């Protein structure tokens, strides 16, 4: 800064001194009158004070650690420190998880995949295809198991043909907590079979440690000696029940029991429950729906959810053999699933995807649609019924396929659709309809352990971090 000379003003822009003149002597518009110089000096002092205050605040501010720049952690720590509302915290966590998802090809086949489930104990994905073959394959199922990183196999995975056999297309495919595969078939004319009866089939899987041990030896052995180590994935007993030809098995669900096999199946307009490894009939209900039961799920050990073609949703307590609650969805029900707490998710036609809170839901009145707790307007499905579109829930998340070759992830904590894969798109784009969607949670967290499997066409994609 140049030295100050009495009676002179230094103009930094012009880099020279100018004589300060009295206001009444200075020419009009000049910047070197006494008053103009005083105003300039005041402005410089104000800017200098603001700069010093800004630097002082910056020095007193605690700097964020580099780890807080990670997507799942960014924005969460401060909310926890100030005791933010739990619903808002859950919504933020879910949106950050969905934002970091990336699409990866998991497996591709020559046939279209119609159903899939994942065995968490062995990390094996089981899927059914729509390719009809002559005996003994018929409608085949496969087990896809990733191999250890030190395996000598170039593919790093193993695909095994399962013992599962179906004479007609599968209408449902699920896995019980006690590791038993449950499947129902539609029946009817299928390929070279003049008549295929609707069938309920359960396949007991091999013990997880035995199967993984054999698979590890298989992956490290020379190709010519591998076969003696491998265990059939579903080598346990297979039990089947055939039903009369004029009925339809629409859906099935496995009970939450981990020590006993409990199965509920939707048969025409009713629900039947079977128990034990030999599928002994337990009970049937609820009656009087006068419409096909298209979906079924367990809310807990004793209460079964069922959704119907006429939009009715019923909760049936198997202990009392009575329907405890009846709800009316705005459209035909394609999927009904129990969520955490007292909520249920119902997906139907006419773009209707709703969440109902059973604590605040009034008893169904004939002809009156039940008011939902949440309704997701982004969901698109005008007329496609199950099992043509996938649907799954996990904690507060709902994943639903649409009829425009995409899928959405909704968060019931925030009541919003989540942007997927680091873009502003609120949907995941696919090459065909997503017939199967399943959340995969290996560690109960929101990082690498939580993924989404999506089957569309002849491939399965993994949406993961």
């Amino acid at each position: 800064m140049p030295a100050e000379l009495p009676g002179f003003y230094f103009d930094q822009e012009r880099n020279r001194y100018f004589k300060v003149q009295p206001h009444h002597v200075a020419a009009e518009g000049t910047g070197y009158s006494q008053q103009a110089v005083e105003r300039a000096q005041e402005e410089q002092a104000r800017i200098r004070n603001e700069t010093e205050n800004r630097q002082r605040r910056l020095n007193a501010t605690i700097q964020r650690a580099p780890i807080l720049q990670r997507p799942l952690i960014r924005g969460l720590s401060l909310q926890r420190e100030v005791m933010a509302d739990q619903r808002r915290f859950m919504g933020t966590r879910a949106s950050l998880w969905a934002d970091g998802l990336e699409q990866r090809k998991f497996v591709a086949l020559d046939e279209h995949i119609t159903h899939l489930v994942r065995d968490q104990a062995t990390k094996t994905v089981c899927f059914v295809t729509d390719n009809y073959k002559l005996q003994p394959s018929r409608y085949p199922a496969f087990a896809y198991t990733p191999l250890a990183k030190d395996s000598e196999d170039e593919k790093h995975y193993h695909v095994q043909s399962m013992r599962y056999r179906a004479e007609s297309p599968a209408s449902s495919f699920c896995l019980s907590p006690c590791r038993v595969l449950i499947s129902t078939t539609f029946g009817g004319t299928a390929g070279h079979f003049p008549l295929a009866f609707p069938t309920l089939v359960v396949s007991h899987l091999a013990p997880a440690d035995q199967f993984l041990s054999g698979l590890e030896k298989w992956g490290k052995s020379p190709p010519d000696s591998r076969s003696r180590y491998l265990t059939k994935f579903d080598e346990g007993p297979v039990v089947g029940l055939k039903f009369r030809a004029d009925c339809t098995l629409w859906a099935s669900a496995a009970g939450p029991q981990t020590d006993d096999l409990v199965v509920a199946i939707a048969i025409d307009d009713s629900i039947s429950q079977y128990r034990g490894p030999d599928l002994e009939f337990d009970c049937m209900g609820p009656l009087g729906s006068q419409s096909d039961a298209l979906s079924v799920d367990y809310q807990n050990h004793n209460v079964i959810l069922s959704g119907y073609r006429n939009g009715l949703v019923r909760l049936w307590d198997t202990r009392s053999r009575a329907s405890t609650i009846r709800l009316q969805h705005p459209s035909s029900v394609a999927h009904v699933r129990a969520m955490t707490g007292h909520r249920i998710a119902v997906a139907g036609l006419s773009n209707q995807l709703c969440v109902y809170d059973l604590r605040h839901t009034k008893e169904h009145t004939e002809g009156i649609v039940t008011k939902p707790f949440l309704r997701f307007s982004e969901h698109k499905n005008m007329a496609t019924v199950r099992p043509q579109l996938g649907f799954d829930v996990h904690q507060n998340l709902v994943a639903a396929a649409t009829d425009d070759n995409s899928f959405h992830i909704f968060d019931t904590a925030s009541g919003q659709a989540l942007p997927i894969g680091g873009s502003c798109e609120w949907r995941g784009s696919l090459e065909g309809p997503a017939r199967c969607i399943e959340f995969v949670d290996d560690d109960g967290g929101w990082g690498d352990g939580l993924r989404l499997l999506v089957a569309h066409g002849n491939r399965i994609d993994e949406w993961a971090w």
Side-chain angles (χ1 to χ4, degrees):
M1 182 72 182
E4 294 186 6
L5 299 179
F8 290 86
Y9 173 73
F10 182 80
D11 190 330
Q12 295 184 2
E13 295 182 357
R14 303 178 66 177
N15 197 28
R16 59 177 294 189
Y17 288 94
F18 291 90
K19 186 177 181 179
V20 179
Q21 299 178 342
H23 184 65
H24 66 281
V25 177
E28 184 178 358
T30 183
Y32 310 112
S33 67
Q34 185 69 37
Q35 294 180 353
V37 170
E38 291 177 354
R39 288 196 299 268
Q41 291 175 344
E42 292 176 357
E43 180 65 18
Q44 292 176 2
R46 185 187 65 80
I47 294 176
R48 185 169 56 254
N49 291 336
E50 288 184 353
T51 303
E52 293 176 354
N53 291 335
R54 188 182 304 111
Q55 185 63 37
R56 190 180 300 112
R57 290 193 301 269
L58 183 61
N59 294 337
T61 302
I62 299 176
Q63 300 299 317
R64 294 172 64 88
I67 193 175
L68 296 181
Q69 302 303 318
R70 296 180 61 180
L72 271 185
I73 301 177
R74 182 176 63 243
L76 300 185
S77 299
L78 179 60
Q79 294 193 36
R80 289 181 127 182
E81 292 294 333
V82 300
M83 301 297 291
D85 178 69
Q86 182 67 14
R87 279 186 58 188
R88 185 177 179 183
F89 173 74
M90 288 292 294
T92 304
R93 183 170 63 175
S95 62
L96 292 174
W97 169 79
D99 184 68
L101 293 179
E102 295 180 357
Q103 183 181 10
R104 305 165 189 160
K105 184 174 73 172
F106 189 74
V107 63
L109 302 174
D110 296 330
E111 304 90 0
H112 283 196
I113 299 169
T114 61
H115 297 82
L116 73 83
V117 294
R118 184 178 185 271
D119 176 31
Q120 186 170 345
T122 61
K123 296 181 173 54
T124 299
V125 176
C126 308
F127 48 87
V128 182
T129 68
D130 63 354
N131 183 27
Y132 175 81
K133 299 179 179 180
L134 295 176
Q135 290 195 28
S137 295
R138 301 180 185 175
Y139 287 89
F142 301 92
Y144 178 101
T145 310
L147 300 176
K149 295 182 179 180
D150 58 350
S151 172
E152 297 181 2
D153 190 86
E154 297 179 354
K155 298 180 179 178
H156 297 291
Y157 64 86
H158 178 261
V159 178
Q160 184 182 88
S161 178
M162 299 175 60
R163 297 171 59 202
Y164 168 88
R165 299 290 181 264
E167 296 181 357
S168 61
S171 57
S172 67
F173 198 60
C174 61
L175 182 65
S176 74
C178 54
R179 301 186 68 247
V180 177
L181 276 175
I182 303 166
S183 174
T184 58
T185 63
F186 280 117
T189 303
H192 297 271
F193 294 89
L195 179 64
F197 291 93
T199 308
L200 167 63
V201 180
V202 296
S203 303
H204 296 258
L205 304 184
D209 54 352
Q210 176 184 341
F211 176 76
L212 293 177
S213 176
L215 194 62
E216 181 180 4
K217 296 178 181 178
W218 179 90
K220 296 181 179 180
S221 302
D224 56 350
S225 61
R226 285 179 170 179
S227 58
R228 67 174 183 267
Y229 296 112
L230 199 60
T231 301
K232 204 70 173 177
F233 182 67
D234 56 341
E235 73 163 7
V238 178
V239 180
L241 293 179
K242 289 188 176 181
F243 294 79
R244 65 181 191 276
D246 60 345
C247 73
T248 303
L249 308 186
W250 291 104
S252 65
Q257 293 86 345
T258 58
D259 56 346
D260 188 21
L261 175 62
V262 181
V263 182
I265 59 174
I267 308 176
D268 291 338
D269 61 349
S270 64
I271 306 297
S272 294
Q273 180 171 270
Y274 296 85
R275 286 183 177 272
D278 296 328
L279 295 179
E280 299 179 359
F281 176 78
D282 184 37
C283 54
M284 175 183 286
L287 304 176
S289 300
Q290 299 178 348
S291 182
D292 290 330
L294 301 181
S295 182
V296 62
D297 191 26
Y298 278 86
Q299 188 190 25
N300 54 46
H301 288 70
N302 301 305
V303 178
I304 298 177
L305 298 169
S306 53
Y308 296 81
R309 191 184 297 275
N310 59 6
L312 191 65
V313 177
R314 304 183 73 170
L315 282 81
W316 172 45
D317 193 326
T318 58
R319 296 167 299 181
S320 62
R321 306 295 195 267
S323 179
T324 56
I325 298 179
R326 292 160 58 102
L327 310 176
Q328 182 63 49
H329 192 62
S331 66
S332 176
V333 176
H335 300 275
V336 56
R337 294 293 301 272
M339 304 189 67
T340 56
H342 301 271
R343 298 179 183 178
I344 61 174
V346 182
L349 309 186
S350 303
N351 303 331
Q352 297 291 336
L353 173 56
C354 301
V355 175
Y356 298 91
D357 193 320
L358 302 179
R359 297 169 298 180
H360 309 293
T361 302
K362 296 182 180 180
E363 180 68 15
H364 165 65
T365 303
E366 192 69 29
I368 299 179
V369 175
T370 304
K371 184 178 180 180
F373 176 74
L374 289 173
R375 180 182 178 274
F376 297 106
S377 59
E378 296 86 353
H379 180 63
K380 303 299 180 184
N381 178 23
M382 282 301 298
T384 305
V385 297
R386 73 177 314 276
Q388 302 299 320
L389 293 179
F391 186 81
D392 198 15
V393 300
H394 173 77
Q395 295 186 12
N396 289 316
L397 299 179
V398 177
T402 62
D403 55 8
D404 59 353
N405 298 343
S406 64
F407 71 93
H408 291 87
I409 300 177
F410 302 99
D411 178 28
T412 61
S414 63
Q416 298 176 352
L418 303 178
I420 302 174
S423 66
C424 58
E425 288 288 335
W426 299 92
R427 65 177 188 171
S429 299
L430 307 170
E431 298 179 357
R435 300 192 64 170
C436 314
I437 292 181
E438 182 168 339
F439 283 103
V440 174
D441 186 13
D442 285 334
D443 56 12
W446 288 80
D448 297 338
L450 181 59
R451 308 187 296 280
L452 195 65
L453 295 179
V454 181
H456 56 106
N458 65 339
R459 58 183 283 176
I460 300 175
D461 286 344
E462 181 183 52
W463 291 74
W465 275 54

